[in-house]
Coordinates of all heavy atoms in Angstrom, one line a residue:
A38 N -13.4 -9.7 -5.3 CA -13.0 -11.0 -5.9 C -11.5 -11.0 -6.1 O -11.0 -10.1 -6.8 CB -13.7 -11.2 -7.2
P39 N -10.7 -12.0 -5.6 CA -9.3 -12.0 -5.7 C -8.9 -12.4 -7.1 O -9.6 -13.1 -7.8 CB -8.8 -13.0 -4.7 CG -10.0 -13.9 -4.5 CD -11.2 -13.1 -4.7
D40 N -7.7 -11.8 -7.5 CA -7.2 -12.3 -8.9 C -5.8 -13.0 -8.6 O -5.5 -13.1 -7.4 CB -7.0 -11.1 -9.8 CG -6.2 -10.0 -9.2 OD1 -5.3 -10.3 -8.3 OD2 -6.3 -8.8 -9.7
A41 N -5.2 -13.4 -9.7 CA -4.0 -14.1 -9.4 C -2.9 -13.4 -8.8 O -2.0 -13.9 -8.1 CB -3.5 -14.7 -10.8
S42 N -2.9 -12.1 -9.0 CA -1.7 -11.2 -8.5 C -2.0 -11.0 -7.0 O -1.0 -10.8 -6.2 CB -1.7 -10.0 -9.2 OG -2.9 -9.2 -9.0
S43 N -3.2 -10.9 -6.5 CA -3.4 -10.6 -5.1 C -2.9 -11.7 -4.1 O -2.5 -11.4 -3.0 CB -4.9 -10.4 -4.8 OG -5.6 -11.6 -5.0
A44 N -2.9 -12.9 -4.6 CA -2.3 -14.0 -3.8 C -0.8 -13.9 -3.7 O -0.3 -14.5 -2.7 CB -2.8 -15.3 -4.4
R45 N -0.3 -13.1 -4.5 CA 1.3 -13.0 -4.4 C 1.6 -11.6 -4.2 O 2.7 -11.1 -4.7 CB 1.8 -13.5 -5.8 CG 1.6 -15.0 -6.1 CD 2.3 -15.4 -7.4 NE 1.9 -14.7 -8.5 CZ 0.9 -15.1 -9.3 NH1 0.1 -16.0 -8.9 NH2 0.6 -14.3 -10.4
A46 N 0.8 -10.9 -3.5 CA 1.1 -9.5 -3.2 C 2.3 -9.2 -2.5 O 2.6 -10.1 -1.5 CB -0.1 -8.8 -2.5
P47 N 3.2 -8.3 -2.9 CA 4.4 -8.1 -2.0 C 4.1 -7.5 -0.7 O 3.0 -7.1 -0.3 CB 5.1 -7.1 -2.9 CG 4.1 -6.4 -3.7 CD 3.0 -7.4 -3.9
S48 N 5.1 -7.5 0.2 CA 5.0 -7.1 1.5 C 4.5 -5.6 1.5 O 5.0 -4.8 0.7 CB 6.3 -7.2 2.3 OG 6.3 -6.5 3.4
A52 N 5.1 -2.5 -1.0 CA 4.0 -2.4 -2.0 C 3.3 -1.0 -1.7 O 3.3 -0.5 -0.7 CB 3.0 -3.5 -1.8
L54 N -0.1 0.4 -1.2 CA -1.5 0.0 -0.8 C -2.4 1.0 -1.1 O -2.1 2.3 -0.9 CB -1.5 -0.5 0.7 CG -0.7 -1.8 1.0 CD1 -0.8 -2.0 2.5 CD2 -1.2 -3.0 0.2
E67 N -9.7 -7.8 0.7 CA -8.6 -8.1 -0.2 C -8.2 -9.6 0.0 O -7.8 -10.2 -0.9 CB -7.4 -7.2 0.1 CG -7.7 -5.7 -0.2 CD -7.8 -5.4 -1.6 OE1 -7.5 -6.2 -2.5 OE2 -8.3 -4.3 -2.0
H68 N -8.1 -10.0 1.2 CA -7.8 -11.4 1.6 C -8.7 -12.0 2.5 O -9.4 -11.3 3.3 CB -6.4 -11.3 2.3 CG -5.3 -10.7 1.6 ND1 -4.7 -11.3 0.5 CD2 -4.7 -9.6 1.7 CE1 -3.7 -10.5 0.1 NE2 -3.7 -9.4 0.8
K197 N 4.2 -12.0 9.8 CA 3.3 -10.8 9.8 C 2.4 -10.7 11.0 O 1.6 -11.5 11.3 CB 2.4 -11.0 8.6 CG 3.3 -10.9 7.2 CD 2.3 -11.1 6.0 CE 3.1 -11.1 4.8 NZ 2.2 -11.1 3.6
K232 N -3.1 -9.7 5.4 CA -3.1 -11.1 5.5 C -2.1 -11.5 6.6 O -1.1 -12.3 6.4 CB -2.7 -11.9 4.2 CG -3.2 -13.3 4.2 CD -2.9 -13.9 2.8 CE -3.5 -15.4 2.9 NZ -3.2 -16.1 1.6

Side-chain angles (χ1 to χ4, degrees):
D40 56 26
S42 62
S43 66
R45 299 187 296 274
S48 165
L54 293 176
E67 300 287 349
H68 303 286
K197 297 179 179 180
K232 202 174 183 181

